[in-house]
Amino acid sequence: MTHSRIVRSLALPVLLLSAACGDSEDSIPVRTCEVTLTYAPQQSLQGTVSVTGEWNGFAAASLPMADRGDGVFTARLEGLEPRDYGYRFVVGKQELMDPQNPYSRWVRTEEYSRLTVPDCRQPVLELRRFVATPEGTLDVDVAYVDGTDEVGPDTDKVTLSLDGEVRQGAFDAKTGRLRLQVEGLPQGKHHVKVVAMDASGRAAQPLYLPFWVEPQKFRWESGLMYFAFTDRFLNARSENDGAVADVDPIANYQGGDFAGITQKIEDGYFDALGVRTLWISPVDQNPEGRFIGTGGKYYAGYHGYWPSQPRTTQHRFGSIEELRALTAAAHAKGIRVIADLVLNHVHQEHPYWVNHRNDDWFNTSASCVCGTQDCDWEEKRLTCKFTDYLPDFNWRSSNMVDRFIDDTLWWLEAADFDGFRMDAVKHMDQVAGRTLRGRLRDITAMTGTEFYLVGETFVGADGRSQIARYISPRELDGQFDFPLYWPVREAFADGQGLERVDQAVRENEVFYAPGTINSPFIGNHDVARFISQAAKQLDGEGGDPWSSSRPSATVTDAAAFEKAKFAFTFVLTQPGVPLVYYGDEVGLPGAGDPDNRRLMRFGSTLTPLEAELLTVVQKLGQARLAHPALQTGARHTLRIERDLYVFQRSLPDGQGAIIAINRSDVERPLVVEPLGSLAASSATYADVFSGRTLQLAGTETTMVIPPRSVAVYVPAAE
């Protein structure tokens, strides 16, 4: 008898479940459901290894684990009823979480690794082979594995589909295999979906297998990320408009929708900017009424951060079909789409609050309003609620975790998303990000398709340690770089010395682990606009979004746009995935939230200064897209002064870029010493803005930087 192992599926178990095959490949395999826990220490151990678990109430006598002969310890568990169990390994006298298990379970006040023992009567789908090539060839082989009662499959309910089209004849009822081989798939994103049910009506966990056909491997750092704040970006369908009565327009719906974003995708607006990742507002339905917010003013849910219905789009943004049209349009251009994900709370109208307020899903008795007396934002960050009508989730509830992660994966498939921006990361237990990453990693392990998880942890310039705690292969890919953001605003908007920015960059380089993909930025939806700070429009009451002194409709200060040019040149050539907050690329003004969320303007509505800034950002985005050194190259500072900043990005193969910012009123002739592979290069580089050339000559490289200018030197076209 031959045997195969199911190591991962889209279900929660992270244990070894053996699936016993039939006597040959000509019969349907049957589950045996052997439950085995495995501990692989990183170094040789002296002493015993055992496992303690919830299955026997964490009895003092833990279950011994045996060395299988290669330094890996295993323990077989028998007779467990199907349910979740918490467990830890006991190494000597120390209890350890399972380092290979991304899933956890809280038992009272303690966190344990999570073991899910399934109902072995339920059939499973086992992926045997999945190959997708850049040329458009697809080869898929999936085995239907029968449950232990061997009732067999319901052949009418076992299907394999490609891009939503069921492939007839893919299922062989005799062997239980589903196979598909296709050639000539077009470039873009595709997906295979496999579903199955046995003859007694038990459904297997479906397999969702998204994949890309594209000439080369995608890198998140390859282009810019753009936040298209949905309601304020472009109104393409007036029939789904609808402001809430008695709410000021700056805190009300203004008509932006999925169709508007789709229109700009198809018009090439994001291509011109070099955007490869598009971030959109939360897509869930929000409440219809008005609610008191910051400053005691009434707000509508135009922003999307008050989810009131699960698995339902905000009807003012559009239908699920229109959302899917948005992602399809983006994917046709190779652009990834990530959605803003609200996991910390729901609105009080949400059925999860209505139906589970007395369960363990919410921090009810322990919750207070963040920032009020005896409710510090940091000290109570895991239990406080943002306001009274936004009940706060308890991420130590396994049932709540399962439901919300299932909802998130529903959106991943239904809308065809490529990742998520996780809101308010520091206000949730880490089980949130780790569980989501675990489920996404299951898909990646099967298909190679990668998903971007970027977090929002609002911190100050000294907040690196708070950001970093959530970044790892088991959780977030990166976070929005607030510790760099504050020096960027101080230096470029306020005119302080550039040394502080360089110091922040250097601190990042020694602080974050290799592989971190953070996102630098000059503005976002929670702070006043860069251009208004640069134009000194925020002094006095100018920073108050509700004041009559808030910034005017346009900025006419040419010096402020010059500051934005300097700032964008720095940020868009940094490592990571640089963010452009909608409107910053044209100098859209605004005080604090919600005045920083004005309706976007395009084309002929732009002033000459705004159009000129847009051209600068487009050239920077195109340069990044065209030159791998600007995407993933090592960064080194070549010269730093109060008003002068020269740095390089370089790859080991000798390709690179040299970026220069001169804020002074005088021309600066310099001799710089390129580092690494550029030190030995004699290539000619050209500035993407002026076309001026730079001849690399190692320690004798001479460059002249005109006054009040920027330059991005890249290898000159031959």
Side-chain angles (χ1 to χ4, degrees):
M1 181 179 290
T2 59
H3 295 268
S4 63
R5 273 182 154 178
I6 300 173
V7 179
R8 286 268 168 89
S9 72
L10 292 186
L12 278 176
V14 183
L15 65 157
L16 298 182
L17 299 177
S18 67
C21 300
D23 293 335
S24 71
E25 291 294 306
D26 294 331
S27 59
I28 294 177
V30 180
R31 298 180 74 168
T32 61
C33 280
E34 175 185 307
V35 180
T36 303
L37 290 173
T38 302
Y39 175 59
Q42 294 183 343
Q43 56 189 12
S44 60
L45 296 177
Q46 301 295 325
T48 61
V49 178
S50 59
V51 60
T52 181
E54 199 177 356
W55 48 81
N56 62 4
F58 303 103
S62 53
L63 177 66
M65 301 185 75
D67 188 336
R68 67 185 187 189
D70 58 359
V72 175
F73 294 81
T74 64
R76 182 173 176 178
L77 303 173
E78 297 180 342
L80 299 185
E81 66 173 289
R83 50 160 287 199
D84 290 335
Y85 299 88
Y87 71 95
R88 289 178 184 166
F89 296 127
V90 183
V91 182
K93 295 183 178 180
Q94 185 180 11
E95 289 191 7
L96 303 173
M97 301 272 284
D98 186 341
Q100 300 303 315
N101 185 349
Y103 308 116
S104 63
R105 170 178 171 83
W106 286 83
V107 182
R108 294 179 293 277
T109 60
E110 296 287 331
E111 186 178 16
Y112 296 84
S113 294
R114 182 179 181 181
L115 167 66
T116 299
V117 176
D119 181 350
C120 290
R121 298 171 301 169
Q122 181 178 353
V124 295
L125 293 167
E126 180 185 342
L127 183 65
R128 298 288 181 85
R129 184 172 61 254
F130 187 93
V131 178
T133 70
E135 295 76 28
T137 297
L138 175 68
D139 185 359
V140 182
D141 184 355
V142 176
Y144 169 92
V145 182
D146 214 359
T148 52
D149 54 3
E150 300 185 56
V151 300
D154 180 339
T155 56
D156 292 332
K157 303 249 180 104
V158 182
T159 62
L160 183 151
S161 61
L162 173 63
D163 296 333
E165 178 184 345
V166 174
R167 293 300 178 116
Q168 301 297 331
F171 180 53
D172 184 336
K174 181 180 178 182
T175 64
R177 302 296 277 272
L178 297 103
R179 293 185 174 95
L180 178 65
Q181 292 181 328
V182 179
E183 294 182 352
L185 286 174
Q187 298 283 307
K189 193 177 183 185
H190 304 270
H191 73 275
V192 169
K193 181 73 176 286
V194 186
V195 297
M197 184 176 290
D198 70 14
S200 65
R202 297 188 186 95
Q205 181 73 28
L207 287 181
Y208 169 61
L209 306 170
F211 65 98
W212 285 82
V213 174
E214 50 192 353
Q216 58 189 10
K217 181 178 174 61
F218 178 83
R219 301 189 67 98
W220 298 101
E221 306 99 318
S222 64
L224 310 181
M225 174 163 51
Y226 189 100
F227 181 19
F229 196 101
T230 305
D231 179 68
R232 305 301 170 86
F233 189 67
L234 181 64
N235 187 355
R237 283 193 56 224
S238 59
E239 58 268 33
N240 62 24
D241 293 355
V244 174
D246 300 320
V247 175
D248 191 288
I250 70 169
N252 213 329
Y253 291 96
Q254 295 192 14
D257 45 37
F258 299 143
I261 298 174
T262 303
Q263 179 180 316
K264 283 301 178 182
I265 294 171
E266 294 173 340
D267 288 349
Y269 185 80
F270 301 110
D271 287 332
L273 285 167
V275 171
R276 294 291 89 191
T277 303
L278 183 61
W279 158 26
I280 63 174
S281 302
V283 297
D284 302 74
Q285 178 66 48
N286 272 226
E288 290 298 304
R290 60 175 191 161
F291 298 87
I292 292 290
T294 305
K297 304 293 185 179
Y298 279 110
Y299 290 73
Y302 70 93
H303 41 69
Y305 292 103
W306 299 341
S308 61
Q309 285 290 336
R311 306 190 184 192
T312 305
T313 59
Q314 166 54 269
H315 67 86
R316 290 182 178 82
F317 296 168
S319 65
I320 187 65
E321 290 78 16
E322 288 172 305
L323 177 56
R324 184 71 180 229
L326 184 160
T327 57
H331 292 157
K333 292 176 173 288
I335 297 173
R336 272 55 174 175
V337 182
I338 66 173
D340 213 321
L341 190 59
V342 184
L343 296 176
N344 176 66
H345 58 263
V346 289
H347 191 271
Q348 64 187 10
E349 295 181 7
H350 200 289
Y352 291 169
W353 170 249
V354 174
N355 297 328
H356 297 281
R357 61 192 303 171
N358 296 320
D359 300 342
D360 63 349
W361 284 35
F362 293 90
N363 293 312
T364 50
S365 61
S367 191
C368 52
V369 176
C370 308
T372 58
Q373 186 175 1
D374 300 324
C375 195
D376 182 76
W377 278 93
E378 296 300 324
E379 181 184 353
K380 302 284 188 180
R381 62 187 176 82
L382 295 178
T383 57
C384 70
K385 53 190 175 183
F386 291 172
T387 191
D388 280 327
Y389 51 82
L390 298 177
D392 185 75
F393 275 117
N394 171 27
W395 276 89
R396 299 183 180 186
S397 166
S398 293
N399 290 332
M400 175 264 155
V401 170
D402 288 348
R403 175 53 61 92
F404 250 73
I405 297 303
D406 284 348
D407 285 349
T408 301
L409 293 178
W410 183 89
W411 280 115
L412 184 83
E413 179 179 345
D416 205 12
F417 288 135
D418 305 291
F420 298 96
R421 178 261 190 190
M422 288 185 63
D423 182 55
V425 168
K426 71 179 181 180
H427 292 282
M428 298 177 287
D429 280 290
Q430 287 182 260
V431 65
R434 289 173 180 170
T435 303
L436 179 55
R437 170 56 71 195
R439 298 290 295 275
L440 294 176
R441 194 167 61 182
D442 289 344
I443 303 175
T444 301
M446 291 187 288
T447 66
T449 302
E450 297 180 348
F451 304 92
Y452 187 39
L453 281 186
V454 59
E456 181 253 3
T457 300
F458 198 108
V459 295
D462 59 349
R464 286 181 182 82
S465 60
Q466 198 166 5
I467 280 181
R469 67 179 295 180
Y470 302 96
I471 301 172
S472 77
R474 292 163 55 91
E475 199 165 350
L476 300 179
D477 295 293
Q479 299 227 51
F480 291 101
D481 199 345
F482 280 96
L484 178 60
Y485 162 78
W486 300 109
V488 164
R489 290 285 284 244
E490 292 164 1
F492 289 106
D494 294 339
Q496 296 185 21
L498 295 174
E499 298 94 339
R500 179 68 186 92
V501 173
D502 185 63
Q503 177 188 355
V505 171
R506 291 171 183 262
E507 289 173 358
N508 277 1
E509 290 169 344
V510 299
F511 195 90
Y512 297 111
T516 298
I517 312 177
N518 281 342
S519 180
F521 59 100
I522 70 167
N524 78 359
H525 58 301
D526 291 323
V527 295
R529 289 281 186 173
F530 178 95
I531 201 73
S532 290
Q533 183 174 338
K536 297 181 170 53
Q537 294 181 318
L538 306 178
D539 297 337
E541 293 186 356
D544 180 357
W546 301 96
S547 170
S548 59
S549 300
R550 63 179 181 256
S552 56
T554 58
V555 173
T556 58
D557 181 1
F561 282 89
E562 183 180 64
K563 292 176 181 178
K565 177 181 70 174
F566 294 146
F568 270 126
T569 300
F570 168 77
V571 167
L572 301 190
T573 56
Q574 290 302 299
V577 189
L579 169 71
V580 176
Y581 174 46
Y582 90 97
D584 278 352
E585 75 271 29
V586 298
L588 200 67
D593 171 15
D595 190 48
N596 58 352
R597 305 170 180 183
R598 300 182 184 186
L599 196 61
M600 181 61 181
R601 291 185 284 107
F602 301 95
S604 62
T605 66
L606 301 180
T607 68
L609 286 172
E610 292 170 340
E612 181 182 354
L613 178 60
L614 177 60
T615 299
V616 168
V617 177
Q618 289 172 335
K619 287 184 177 180
L620 289 166
Q622 290 300 316
R624 187 181 187 97
L625 204 58
H627 298 281
L630 287 172
Q631 303 167 16
T632 59
R635 194 214 66 89
H636 297 287
T637 299
L638 301 180
R639 184 69 65 90
I640 180 65
E641 300 174 8
R642 187 188 189 285
D643 291 314
L644 180 71
Y645 199 1
V646 183
F647 59 93
Q648 72 173 50
R649 303 287 308 277
S650 60
L651 295 171
D653 64 2
Q655 295 294 302
I658 294 179
I659 299 93
I661 300 171
N662 179 14
R663 301 192 307 188
S664 72
D665 294 325
V666 298
E667 183 178 82
R668 295 298 307 273
L670 299 172
V671 176
V672 295
E673 301 181 17
L675 302 174
S677 62
L678 296 192
S681 174
S682 59
T684 301
Y685 278 30
D687 175 25
V688 301
F689 293 108
S690 66
R692 292 191 305 269
T693 59
L694 173 67
Q695 186 68 46
L696 297 189
T699 58
E700 300 299 322
T701 295
T702 301
M703 60 190 309
V704 177
I705 313 174
R708 312 205 71 82
S709 71
V710 297
V712 177
Y713 288 100
V714 295
E718 296 181 358

